[in-house]
Amino acid sequence: MPHSETASQAEVVLQGIGVAPGVAIGPVFLWQSGDDYVVERSLSEGDTFAEINRFEEALIETRRQLLEIQSSLGRELQSDKDASIFDAHLLFLNDRDLIEEVLIAIQNDRINAEAALKNVSRRYMDTLLAVEDDYLRERVADVKDVMRRMIRNLSGEIVSISDSLTDKCIVLASDLAPSDTAGLRRDTVSGFATDLGSPTSHTAVMARALEIPAVVGLHDVSKRQWTNETLLLDGTRGLLIINPTKERLDEYGHIVEEREVIRSGLSSLKNEPAETRDGHAIVLSANIESASDVKSVEQYGAEGIGLFRSEYLYLTHEDSMPSEDEQVAAYRHVAEALAPAPVIIRTLDLGGDKFASAIALPTEMNPFLGCRAIRFCLKMPNLFKTQLRAILRASSYGNVKIMYPMITQVDEILQAQELLVEAMDELEAEGIEVDRNIEVGAMIETPAAAMISDSLAKHVSFFSLGTNDLIQYTLAVDRVNELVAYLYEPTHPAILRLIKQTIDSGHKNGIWVGVCGEMAGDPVMTPLLLGLGVDELSATPSAVPLIKDSMRKVTMEDAESLARKALSSESAGDVLALARQLIREVAPEILELTD
């Protein structure tokens, strides 16, 4: 249980990895998963039927809990993106082969359900860890999360951390599963710290989405002898301070006040133009996952939608695909709400790390290099054409544009355009007027696309650089793999040269070029991207004020000078240092909020 502060205890400062910004102060609550303490019990032949029933009831309850978590998370965040993390958990729960193995173990080995589940799950995890595929190895955490929750339900333990708390605390744990983190409530949890974890883990993603300060990578913090300590957690700097002194508390009180003043000041930028200090303007847009995100776009002052991730309409349909009319309704809602601002709808980007249960995707050894995005759509022309029809129908209600993901060759654009023309012909034959001049763009997400961007530019109206995948594919780094996450460097010279080549190719052919990956949402990178020549930046709505502040504090001369130096640099670290130095000179408040 939480404890009060003991003033006589000395202050201890622990350095970890900050994964969700913010400051939290409070007593300790130590959370233990309990899954390592399963006791195997032998059953009599007559007890196996009742044990199987107990397992099936826990299975139903666990599925109900995960669906409830997914649904409530989507409502709270007004976004389905982060809630989709639990699609893999639900797929595991619906794996009939695994369920059959557990039932056979209960019946044939005559052991209790907890032991049978743990044994079978461990074999699954060992198999995944042995596969030479980073994505499949990452799924071990999902299996472990589901196993823990099932065992808690079987044993009657408290499943939710927040249900264990009455006072506001800082949670310490060896690790937190995504479902544990998603179940945290801000009225009882002010922050959390873990032994394990990385900035790219699902737990870190959940913490940022829920805006709960978090520090990971503290090695053995959960194994300390905790009594009545008070903690100060700094999720921005990655610090966990045990028994902070009065001076330390005063210092952080001032920090919190300063950050609030800065954030309040940023809100005044909502109606200011997205332009540099010397008047160079670009389009500052937002990325969204669902129609409900429109509220955030307007709240933070974005100029439109630079990326509408349409696949989340599919991911939230459990047993069926969204109909054409359902898609029209979602696209129309956004187009009407933001008209005449542009709304760029990315066509279906399934595969990789996104799977829809209603669509039978083939099992692949490496789905990130497999049948995903435009490749999948071209193999499923009827499904693809249904989406294109929906976008065309919705386009009459606003300024809608189409964007194809994961383009690697000209033929993919030509094939997609043939299907688009077919959709236009069909709609006109049905008496529905369509815009035959609707703008169509391509996402540049692979080195191949960047290298042939001069050819691709002849067939589209715009480019949008998806820097997340561009970095991943160029540097051969799985961005969600904790073992190599440190190699994921947006400022790597190869990345900057590919971005510059794409921008130059686009401008040479008379089309505009934007950036819609996470790099666009980093205000430290804003001057660099401006200097490289981008025409549009599109980011998470909440990031828009900081990006605008960064832009309005710099001149184009400063930005272009930074870009020239960056393009001639030999290391990602040197480029990052140059970018940070410029921000420190012109907009130090940004580092106050992000460091």
Side-chain angles (χ1 to χ4, degrees), residues 563-593:
R564 285 193 296 272
K565 293 174 184 176
L567 288 169
S568 63
S569 295
E570 296 183 346
S571 79
D574 289 345
V575 175
L576 182 58
L578 288 168
R580 287 178 59 83
Q581 179 58 37
L582 178 56
I583 291 295
R584 187 175 291 110
E585 292 170 1
V586 300
E589 68 277 4
I590 288 174
L591 298 183
E592 284 290 324
L593 290 174

mmCIF file of all heavy atoms in Angstrom, residues 563-593:
data_model
loop_
_atom_site.group_PDB
_atom_site.id
_atom_site.type_symbol
_atom_site.label_atom_id
_atom_site.label_comp_id
_atom_site.label_asym_id
_atom_site.label_seq_id
_atom_site.Cartn_x
_atom_site.Cartn_y
_atom_site.Cartn_z
ATOM 1 N N ALA A 563 20.223 23.339 -42.848
ATOM 2 C CA ALA A 563 20.089 22.224 -43.776
ATOM 3 C C ALA A 563 21.390 21.979 -44.539
ATOM 4 O O ALA A 563 21.797 20.823 -44.743
ATOM 5 C CB ALA A 563 18.944 22.485 -44.756
ATOM 6 N N ARG A 564 22.046 23.050 -44.975
ATOM 7 C CA ARG A 564 23.324 22.885 -45.687
ATOM 8 C C ARG A 564 24.361 22.204 -44.795
ATOM 9 O O ARG A 564 25.071 21.288 -45.233
ATOM 10 C CB ARG A 564 23.842 24.243 -46.168
ATOM 11 C CG ARG A 564 23.102 24.814 -47.371
ATOM 12 C CD ARG A 564 23.865 25.981 -47.968
ATOM 13 N NE ARG A 564 23.976 27.107 -47.044
ATOM 14 C CZ ARG A 564 23.071 28.084 -46.920
ATOM 15 N NH1 ARG A 564 21.987 28.067 -47.686
ATOM 16 N NH2 ARG A 564 23.257 29.070 -46.073
ATOM 17 N N LYS A 565 24.452 22.653 -43.550
ATOM 18 C CA LYS A 565 25.408 22.038 -42.629
ATOM 19 C C LYS A 565 25.048 20.571 -42.364
ATOM 20 O O LYS A 565 25.913 19.708 -42.296
ATOM 21 C CB LYS A 565 25.431 22.804 -41.306
ATOM 22 C CG LYS A 565 25.991 24.217 -41.405
ATOM 23 C CD LYS A 565 25.842 24.956 -40.073
ATOM 24 C CE LYS A 565 26.293 26.403 -40.169
ATOM 25 N NZ LYS A 565 26.050 27.140 -38.903
ATOM 26 N N ALA A 566 23.752 20.303 -42.224
ATOM 27 C CA ALA A 566 23.312 18.938 -41.943
ATOM 28 C C ALA A 566 23.630 18.002 -43.097
ATOM 29 O O ALA A 566 24.078 16.867 -42.882
ATOM 30 C CB ALA A 566 21.808 18.929 -41.662
ATOM 31 N N LEU A 567 23.420 18.459 -44.315
ATOM 32 C CA LEU A 567 23.667 17.608 -45.484
ATOM 33 C C LEU A 567 25.144 17.297 -45.678
ATOM 34 O O LEU A 567 25.492 16.320 -46.343
ATOM 35 C CB LEU A 567 23.089 18.270 -46.738
ATOM 36 C CG LEU A 567 21.561 18.282 -46.836
ATOM 37 C CD1 LEU A 567 21.103 19.194 -47.961
ATOM 38 C CD2 LEU A 567 21.029 16.869 -47.037
ATOM 39 N N SER A 568 26.010 18.114 -45.113
ATOM 40 C CA SER A 568 27.455 17.855 -45.240
ATOM 41 C C SER A 568 28.023 17.176 -43.993
ATOM 42 O O SER A 568 29.222 16.894 -43.937
ATOM 43 C CB SER A 568 28.204 19.170 -45.497
ATOM 44 O OG SER A 568 28.062 20.057 -44.399
ATOM 45 N N SER A 569 27.160 16.909 -43.011
ATOM 46 C CA SER A 569 27.623 16.246 -41.782
ATOM 47 C C SER A 569 27.771 14.748 -41.993
ATOM 48 O O SER A 569 27.154 14.163 -42.892
ATOM 49 C CB SER A 569 26.635 16.505 -40.633
ATOM 50 O OG SER A 569 26.610 17.871 -40.296
ATOM 51 N N GLU A 570 28.574 14.124 -41.132
ATOM 52 C CA GLU A 570 28.860 12.690 -41.283
ATOM 53 C C GLU A 570 28.151 11.825 -40.259
ATOM 54 O O GLU A 570 28.202 10.599 -40.347
ATOM 55 C CB GLU A 570 30.368 12.449 -41.200
ATOM 56 C CG GLU A 570 31.148 13.098 -42.333
ATOM 57 C CD GLU A 570 32.633 12.787 -42.261
ATOM 58 O OE1 GLU A 570 33.089 12.301 -41.194
ATOM 59 O OE2 GLU A 570 33.331 13.018 -43.258
ATOM 60 N N SER A 571 27.502 12.424 -39.259
ATOM 61 C CA SER A 571 26.851 11.597 -38.240
ATOM 62 C C SER A 571 25.515 12.185 -37.820
ATOM 63 O O SER A 571 25.308 13.409 -37.876
ATOM 64 C CB SER A 571 27.754 11.455 -37.010
ATOM 65 O OG SER A 571 27.692 12.610 -36.201
ATOM 66 N N ALA A 572 24.620 11.301 -37.400
ATOM 67 C CA ALA A 572 23.307 11.725 -36.922
ATOM 68 C C ALA A 572 23.440 12.597 -35.687
ATOM 69 O O ALA A 572 22.694 13.570 -35.507
ATOM 70 C CB ALA A 572 22.448 10.500 -36.617
ATOM 71 N N GLY A 573 24.405 12.280 -34.821
ATOM 72 C CA GLY A 573 24.615 13.055 -33.603
ATOM 73 C C GLY A 573 25.005 14.489 -33.891
ATOM 74 O O GLY A 573 24.537 15.416 -33.217
ATOM 75 N N ASP A 574 25.852 14.683 -34.906
ATOM 76 C CA ASP A 574 26.264 16.040 -35.267
ATOM 77 C C ASP A 574 25.078 16.854 -35.766
ATOM 78 O O ASP A 574 24.911 18.034 -35.424
ATOM 79 C CB ASP A 574 27.337 15.990 -36.358
ATOM 80 C CG ASP A 574 28.676 15.468 -35.835
ATOM 81 O OD1 ASP A 574 28.842 15.416 -34.602
ATOM 82 O OD2 ASP A 574 29.521 15.098 -36.666
ATOM 83 N N VAL A 575 24.236 16.229 -36.587
ATOM 84 C CA VAL A 575 23.065 16.932 -37.121
ATOM 85 C C VAL A 575 22.106 17.299 -35.995
ATOM 86 O O VAL A 575 21.593 18.429 -35.934
ATOM 87 C CB VAL A 575 22.340 16.061 -38.165
ATOM 88 C CG1 VAL A 575 21.054 16.752 -38.631
ATOM 89 C CG2 VAL A 575 23.252 15.774 -39.345
ATOM 90 N N LEU A 576 21.857 16.355 -35.090
ATOM 91 C CA LEU A 576 20.953 16.627 -33.974
ATOM 92 C C LEU A 576 21.477 17.771 -33.115
ATOM 93 O O LEU A 576 20.713 18.641 -32.681
ATOM 94 C CB LEU A 576 20.771 15.370 -33.128
ATOM 95 C CG LEU A 576 19.812 15.493 -31.937
ATOM 96 C CD1 LEU A 576 18.423 15.911 -32.402
ATOM 97 C CD2 LEU A 576 19.754 14.179 -31.166
ATOM 98 N N ALA A 577 22.789 17.790 -32.889
ATOM 99 C CA ALA A 577 23.394 18.864 -32.090
ATOM 100 C C ALA A 577 23.193 20.221 -32.766
ATOM 101 O O ALA A 577 22.897 21.228 -32.107
ATOM 102 C CB ALA A 577 24.880 18.585 -31.879
ATOM 103 N N LEU A 578 23.355 20.271 -34.088
ATOM 104 C CA LEU A 578 23.151 21.519 -34.828
ATOM 105 C C LEU A 578 21.700 21.990 -34.720
ATOM 106 O O LEU A 578 21.427 23.184 -34.510
ATOM 107 C CB LEU A 578 23.515 21.309 -36.302
ATOM 108 C CG LEU A 578 25.002 21.161 -36.631
ATOM 109 C CD1 LEU A 578 25.179 20.669 -38.070
ATOM 110 C CD2 LEU A 578 25.736 22.486 -36.431
ATOM 111 N N ALA A 579 20.751 21.042 -34.858
ATOM 112 C CA ALA A 579 19.338 21.389 -34.786
ATOM 113 C C ALA A 579 18.967 21.894 -33.398
ATOM 114 O O ALA A 579 18.231 22.881 -33.257
ATOM 115 C CB ALA A 579 18.495 20.177 -35.167
ATOM 116 N N ARG A 580 19.478 21.239 -32.377
ATOM 117 C CA ARG A 580 19.185 21.643 -31.004
ATOM 118 C C ARG A 580 19.801 23.002 -30.676
ATOM 119 O O ARG A 580 19.206 23.797 -29.948
ATOM 120 C CB ARG A 580 19.682 20.583 -30.024
ATOM 121 C CG ARG A 580 18.819 19.317 -30.014
ATOM 122 C CD ARG A 580 19.408 18.278 -29.057
ATOM 123 N NE ARG A 580 19.493 18.801 -27.703
ATOM 124 C CZ ARG A 580 18.486 18.811 -26.834
ATOM 125 N NH1 ARG A 580 17.299 18.332 -27.197
ATOM 126 N NH2 ARG A 580 18.642 19.302 -25.613
ATOM 127 N N GLN A 581 20.990 23.259 -31.212
ATOM 128 C CA GLN A 581 21.643 24.533 -30.951
ATOM 129 C C GLN A 581 20.824 25.692 -31.524
ATOM 130 O O GLN A 581 20.639 26.729 -30.868
ATOM 131 C CB GLN A 581 23.046 24.545 -31.565
ATOM 132 C CG GLN A 581 23.815 25.850 -31.367
ATOM 133 C CD GLN A 581 23.978 26.224 -29.897
ATOM 134 O OE1 GLN A 581 24.169 25.343 -29.043
ATOM 135 N NE2 GLN A 581 23.903 27.514 -29.587
ATOM 136 N N LEU A 582 20.273 25.504 -32.733
ATOM 137 C CA LEU A 582 19.457 26.554 -33.329
ATOM 138 C C LEU A 582 18.196 26.789 -32.492
ATOM 139 O O LEU A 582 17.822 27.941 -32.221
ATOM 140 C CB LEU A 582 19.075 26.183 -34.765
ATOM 141 C CG LEU A 582 18.172 27.180 -35.497
ATOM 142 C CD1 LEU A 582 18.777 28.570 -35.519
ATOM 143 C CD2 LEU A 582 17.888 26.694 -36.914
ATOM 144 N N ILE A 583 17.546 25.709 -32.059
ATOM 145 C CA ILE A 583 16.345 25.850 -31.225
ATOM 146 C C ILE A 583 16.686 26.527 -29.898
ATOM 147 O O ILE A 583 15.927 27.367 -29.405
ATOM 148 C CB ILE A 583 15.692 24.469 -30.976
ATOM 149 C CG1 ILE A 583 15.082 23.934 -32.260
ATOM 150 C CG2 ILE A 583 14.635 24.548 -29.884
ATOM 151 C CD1 ILE A 583 13.926 24.751 -32.800
ATOM 152 N N ARG A 584 17.831 26.176 -29.341
ATOM 153 C CA ARG A 584 18.250 26.782 -28.064
ATOM 154 C C ARG A 584 18.407 28.299 -28.229
ATOM 155 O O ARG A 584 18.109 29.065 -27.313
ATOM 156 C CB ARG A 584 19.561 26.157 -27.602
ATOM 157 C CG ARG A 584 20.003 26.581 -26.199
ATOM 158 C CD ARG A 584 21.244 25.827 -25.763
ATOM 159 N NE ARG A 584 20.957 24.417 -25.533
ATOM 160 C CZ ARG A 584 21.396 23.430 -26.307
ATOM 161 N NH1 ARG A 584 22.146 23.704 -27.375
ATOM 162 N NH2 ARG A 584 21.090 22.181 -26.036
ATOM 163 N N GLU A 585 18.844 28.737 -29.406
ATOM 164 C CA GLU A 585 19.060 30.164 -29.641
ATOM 165 C C GLU A 585 17.758 30.913 -29.915
ATOM 166 O O GLU A 585 17.583 32.047 -29.461
ATOM 167 C CB GLU A 585 20.005 30.347 -30.841
ATOM 168 C CG GLU A 585 21.429 29.870 -30.574
ATOM 169 C CD GLU A 585 22.271 29.839 -31.832
ATOM 170 O OE1 GLU A 585 21.741 30.206 -32.920
ATOM 171 O OE2 GLU A 585 23.444 29.428 -31.765
ATOM 172 N N VAL A 586 16.832 30.283 -30.649
ATOM 173 C CA VAL A 586 15.651 31.027 -31.087
ATOM 174 C C VAL A 586 14.373 30.695 -30.306
ATOM 175 O O VAL A 586 13.476 31.532 -30.201
ATOM 176 C CB VAL A 586 15.387 30.805 -32.600
ATOM 177 C CG1 VAL A 586 16.573 31.268 -33.424
ATOM 178 C CG2 VAL A 586 15.043 29.352 -32.904
ATOM 179 N N ALA A 587 14.282 29.470 -29.769
ATOM 180 C CA ALA A 587 13.053 29.061 -29.068
ATOM 181 C C ALA A 587 13.383 28.120 -27.914
ATOM 182 O O ALA A 587 12.991 26.952 -27.913
ATOM 183 C CB ALA A 587 12.080 28.401 -30.043
ATOM 184 N N PRO A 588 14.101 28.612 -26.900
ATOM 185 C CA PRO A 588 14.527 27.739 -25.797
ATOM 186 C C PRO A 588 13.360 27.119 -25.035
ATOM 187 O O PRO A 588 13.516 26.082 -24.391
ATOM 188 C CB PRO A 588 15.345 28.682 -24.902
ATOM 189 C CG PRO A 588 14.886 30.065 -25.263
ATOM 190 C CD PRO A 588 14.555 30.004 -26.713
ATOM 191 N N GLU A 589 12.186 27.735 -25.105
ATOM 192 C CA GLU A 589 11.025 27.180 -24.401
ATOM 193 C C GLU A 589 10.667 25.783 -24.923
ATOM 194 O O GLU A 589 10.106 24.959 -24.193
ATOM 195 C CB GLU A 589 9.820 28.114 -24.528
ATOM 196 C CG GLU A 589 9.215 28.246 -25.909
ATOM 197 C CD GLU A 589 9.936 29.247 -26.802
ATOM 198 O OE1 GLU A 589 10.976 29.795 -26.366
ATOM 199 O OE2 GLU A 589 9.458 29.479 -27.925
ATOM 200 N N ILE A 590 11.010 25.502 -26.181
ATOM 201 C CA ILE A 590 10.724 24.177 -26.741
ATOM 202 C C ILE A 590 11.541 23.114 -26.030
ATOM 203 O O ILE A 590 11.044 22.020 -25.708
ATOM 204 C CB ILE A 590 11.002 24.169 -28.259
ATOM 205 C CG1 ILE A 590 9.917 24.974 -28.971
ATOM 206 C CG2 ILE A 590 11.074 22.747 -28.810
ATOM 207 C CD1 ILE A 590 10.154 25.169 -30.443
ATOM 208 N N LEU A 591 12.807 23.412 -25.768
ATOM 209 C CA LEU A 591 13.651 22.452 -25.038
ATOM 210 C C LEU A 591 13.180 22.312 -23.596
ATOM 211 O O LEU A 591 13.321 21.237 -22.998
ATOM 212 C CB LEU A 591 15.112 22.889 -25.090
ATOM 213 C CG LEU A 591 15.732 22.961 -26.495
ATOM 214 C CD1 LEU A 591 17.208 23.345 -26.400
ATOM 215 C CD2 LEU A 591 15.596 21.635 -27.228
ATOM 216 N N GLU A 592 12.609 23.381 -23.037
ATOM 217 C CA GLU A 592 12.071 23.292 -21.675
ATOM 218 C C GLU A 592 10.950 22.261 -21.605
ATOM 219 O O GLU A 592 10.787 21.562 -20.609
ATOM 220 C CB GLU A 592 11.526 24.655 -21.235
ATOM 221 C CG GLU A 592 12.591 25.661 -20.850
ATOM 222 C CD GLU A 592 13.282 25.303 -19.544
ATOM 223 O OE1 GLU A 592 12.601 24.778 -18.644
ATOM 224 O OE2 GLU A 592 14.499 25.534 -19.449
ATOM 225 N N LEU A 593 10.183 22.158 -22.678
ATOM 226 C CA LEU A 593 9.044 21.242 -22.690
ATOM 227 C C LEU A 593 9.413 19.842 -23.160
ATOM 228 O O LEU A 593 8.725 18.879 -22.841
ATOM 229 C CB LEU A 593 7.937 21.792 -23.595
ATOM 230 C CG LEU A 593 7.212 23.033 -23.094
ATOM 231 C CD1 LEU A 593 6.257 23.549 -24.161
ATOM 232 C CD2 LEU A 593 6.449 22.740 -21.811
#
